[in-house]
Short mmCIF file of all heavy atoms in Angstrom, two decimals:
data_model
loop_
_atom_site.label_atom_id
_atom_site.label_comp_id
_atom_site.label_asym_id
_atom_site.label_seq_id
_atom_site.Cartn_x
_atom_site.Cartn_y
_atom_site.Cartn_z
N GLY N 24 10.54 -15.61 -5.26
CA GLY N 24 11.94 -15.40 -5.64
C GLY N 24 12.86 -15.52 -4.45
O GLY N 24 12.76 -16.46 -3.66
N ALA N 25 13.74 -14.56 -4.32
CA ALA N 25 14.79 -14.63 -3.30
C ALA N 25 14.21 -14.73 -1.90
O ALA N 25 13.20 -14.11 -1.58
CB ALA N 25 15.68 -13.40 -3.41
N SER N 26 14.83 -15.54 -1.07
CA SER N 26 14.38 -15.71 0.31
C SER N 26 15.36 -15.06 1.29
O SER N 26 15.27 -15.29 2.49
CB SER N 26 14.25 -17.21 0.64
OG SER N 26 15.49 -17.87 0.43
N ASP N 27 16.27 -14.27 0.79
CA ASP N 27 17.30 -13.68 1.65
C ASP N 27 17.09 -12.19 1.87
O ASP N 27 18.01 -11.45 2.18
CB ASP N 27 18.68 -13.91 1.05
CG ASP N 27 18.80 -13.30 -0.36
OD1 ASP N 27 17.80 -12.76 -0.85
OD2 ASP N 27 19.90 -13.39 -0.94
N GLY N 28 15.87 -11.76 1.71
CA GLY N 28 15.58 -10.33 1.89
C GLY N 28 15.45 -9.58 0.59
O GLY N 28 15.04 -8.43 0.58
N ARG N 29 15.78 -10.21 -0.54
CA ARG N 29 15.71 -9.53 -1.84
C ARG N 29 14.37 -9.75 -2.54
O ARG N 29 14.17 -9.29 -3.66
CB ARG N 29 16.85 -10.00 -2.73
CG ARG N 29 18.22 -9.53 -2.24
CD ARG N 29 19.35 -9.94 -3.17
NE ARG N 29 19.59 -11.38 -3.11
CZ ARG N 29 19.42 -12.21 -4.11
NH1 ARG N 29 18.99 -11.76 -5.28
NH2 ARG N 29 19.68 -13.50 -3.97
N ALA N 30 13.47 -10.49 -1.89
CA ALA N 30 12.15 -10.73 -2.50
C ALA N 30 11.42 -9.41 -2.68
O ALA N 30 11.43 -8.55 -1.79
CB ALA N 30 11.33 -11.66 -1.61
N PRO N 31 10.77 -9.21 -3.82
CA PRO N 31 10.03 -7.97 -4.04
C PRO N 31 8.85 -7.85 -3.08
O PRO N 31 8.15 -8.83 -2.83
CB PRO N 31 9.57 -8.08 -5.50
CG PRO N 31 9.58 -9.55 -5.80
CD PRO N 31 10.68 -10.13 -4.97
N LEU N 32 8.66 -6.66 -2.57
CA LEU N 32 7.59 -6.39 -1.61
C LEU N 32 6.76 -5.23 -2.12
O LEU N 32 7.27 -4.14 -2.36
CB LEU N 32 8.18 -6.06 -0.24
CG LEU N 32 7.20 -5.62 0.86
CD1 LEU N 32 6.17 -6.70 1.15
CD2 LEU N 32 7.97 -5.27 2.13
N ARG N 33 5.47 -5.47 -2.29
CA ARG N 33 4.53 -4.44 -2.73
C ARG N 33 3.67 -4.01 -1.55
O ARG N 33 3.13 -4.85 -0.83
CB ARG N 33 3.63 -4.99 -3.84
CG ARG N 33 2.56 -4.04 -4.35
CD ARG N 33 1.57 -4.78 -5.22
NE ARG N 33 0.52 -3.94 -5.75
CZ ARG N 33 -0.68 -4.38 -6.12
NH1 ARG N 33 -0.97 -5.66 -6.01
NH2 ARG N 33 -1.59 -3.57 -6.61
N LEU N 34 3.58 -2.70 -1.35
CA LEU N 34 2.78 -2.18 -0.25
C LEU N 34 1.75 -1.20 -0.78
O LEU N 34 2.08 -0.26 -1.49
CB LEU N 34 3.68 -1.46 0.78
CG LEU N 34 2.96 -0.85 1.98
CD1 LEU N 34 2.30 -1.94 2.83
CD2 LEU N 34 3.93 -0.03 2.83
N ARG N 35 0.49 -1.46 -0.44
CA ARG N 35 -0.59 -0.54 -0.77
C ARG N 35 -1.10 0.11 0.51
O ARG N 35 -1.20 -0.56 1.54
CB ARG N 35 -1.74 -1.28 -1.47
CG ARG N 35 -1.40 -1.68 -2.90
CD ARG N 35 -2.53 -2.47 -3.52
NE ARG N 35 -2.56 -3.84 -3.03
CZ ARG N 35 -3.63 -4.62 -3.06
NH1 ARG N 35 -4.79 -4.14 -3.51
NH2 ARG N 35 -3.58 -5.84 -2.63
N GLY N 36 -1.42 1.39 0.44
CA GLY N 36 -1.89 2.10 1.61
C GLY N 36 -3.09 2.97 1.32
O GLY N 36 -3.31 3.39 0.17
N LEU N 37 -3.86 3.24 2.35
CA LEU N 37 -5.07 4.05 2.24
C LEU N 37 -5.23 4.91 3.48
O LEU N 37 -4.98 4.46 4.59
CB LEU N 37 -6.29 3.13 2.09
CG LEU N 37 -7.70 3.71 2.15
CD1 LEU N 37 -8.65 2.85 1.30
CD2 LEU N 37 -8.24 3.76 3.58
N VAL N 38 -5.63 6.16 3.25
CA VAL N 38 -6.04 7.05 4.33
C VAL N 38 -7.32 7.73 3.87
O VAL N 38 -7.41 8.19 2.72
CB VAL N 38 -4.97 8.13 4.64
CG1 VAL N 38 -5.46 9.07 5.74
CG2 VAL N 38 -3.66 7.48 5.05
N GLY N 39 -8.34 7.77 4.74
CA GLY N 39 -9.61 8.36 4.31
C GLY N 39 -10.38 8.98 5.44
O GLY N 39 -9.98 8.90 6.61
N GLU N 40 -11.47 9.62 5.08
CA GLU N 40 -12.40 10.15 6.07
C GLU N 40 -13.78 9.63 5.72
O GLU N 40 -14.14 9.50 4.54
CB GLU N 40 -12.38 11.68 6.09
CG GLU N 40 -12.70 12.37 4.78
CD GLU N 40 -12.62 13.88 4.88
OE1 GLU N 40 -12.69 14.40 6.00
OE2 GLU N 40 -12.50 14.53 3.82
N VAL N 41 -14.56 9.30 6.75
CA VAL N 41 -15.86 8.68 6.55
C VAL N 41 -16.77 9.62 5.75
O VAL N 41 -16.99 10.77 6.12
CB VAL N 41 -16.52 8.33 7.90
CG1 VAL N 41 -17.91 7.76 7.67
CG2 VAL N 41 -15.65 7.34 8.67
N GLY N 42 -17.25 9.10 4.61
CA GLY N 42 -18.13 9.88 3.75
C GLY N 42 -17.41 10.95 2.96
O GLY N 42 -18.05 11.78 2.30
N GLY N 43 -16.08 10.95 3.00
CA GLY N 43 -15.32 12.00 2.33
C GLY N 43 -14.20 11.46 1.46
O GLY N 43 -14.34 10.40 0.84
N ARG N 44 -13.10 12.17 1.47
CA ARG N 44 -11.99 11.87 0.57
C ARG N 44 -11.22 10.62 0.99
O ARG N 44 -11.07 10.34 2.17
CB ARG N 44 -11.04 13.08 0.56
CG ARG N 44 -10.04 13.10 -0.59
CD ARG N 44 -9.52 14.52 -0.83
NE ARG N 44 -9.00 15.12 0.37
CZ ARG N 44 -7.74 15.56 0.52
NH1 ARG N 44 -6.90 15.45 -0.49
NH2 ARG N 44 -7.34 16.11 1.63
N ILE N 45 -10.74 9.88 0.02
CA ILE N 45 -9.90 8.70 0.25
C ILE N 45 -8.63 8.86 -0.57
O ILE N 45 -8.69 9.13 -1.77
CB ILE N 45 -10.61 7.40 -0.15
CG1 ILE N 45 -11.89 7.21 0.65
CG2 ILE N 45 -9.69 6.21 0.07
CD1 ILE N 45 -12.68 5.98 0.25
N LEU N 46 -7.50 8.70 0.08
CA LEU N 46 -6.20 8.73 -0.59
C LEU N 46 -5.65 7.32 -0.66
O LEU N 46 -5.64 6.61 0.34
CB LEU N 46 -5.23 9.64 0.17
CG LEU N 46 -5.63 11.11 0.34
CD1 LEU N 46 -4.61 11.82 1.22
CD2 LEU N 46 -5.74 11.80 -1.01
N ARG N 47 -5.20 6.93 -1.83
CA ARG N 47 -4.62 5.60 -2.02
C ARG N 47 -3.30 5.72 -2.77
O ARG N 47 -3.14 6.60 -3.63
CB ARG N 47 -5.55 4.70 -2.85
CG ARG N 47 -6.95 4.51 -2.29
CD ARG N 47 -7.79 3.71 -3.27
NE ARG N 47 -9.19 3.65 -2.91
CZ ARG N 47 -9.74 2.66 -2.21
NH1 ARG N 47 -8.98 1.63 -1.82
NH2 ARG N 47 -11.02 2.67 -1.92
N ALA N 48 -2.38 4.83 -2.46
CA ALA N 48 -1.11 4.79 -3.19
C ALA N 48 -0.46 3.43 -2.98
O ALA N 48 -0.85 2.68 -2.07
CB ALA N 48 -0.18 5.91 -2.72
#
């Protein structure tokens, strides 16, 4: 879509601990 900064941007993130809990959003 827009090339002037209005293009939609999707960001996925993760924080976790080895062998333990993982948070995603």
Side-chain angles (χ1 to χ4, degrees):
S26 58
D27 59 357
R29 292 183 289 116
L32 174 60
R33 177 192 181 205
L34 179 64
R35 287 177 284 158
L37 171 151
V38 178
E40 58 182 340
V41 177
R44 195 159 53 120
I45 300 177
L46 300 175
R47 303 174 188 266

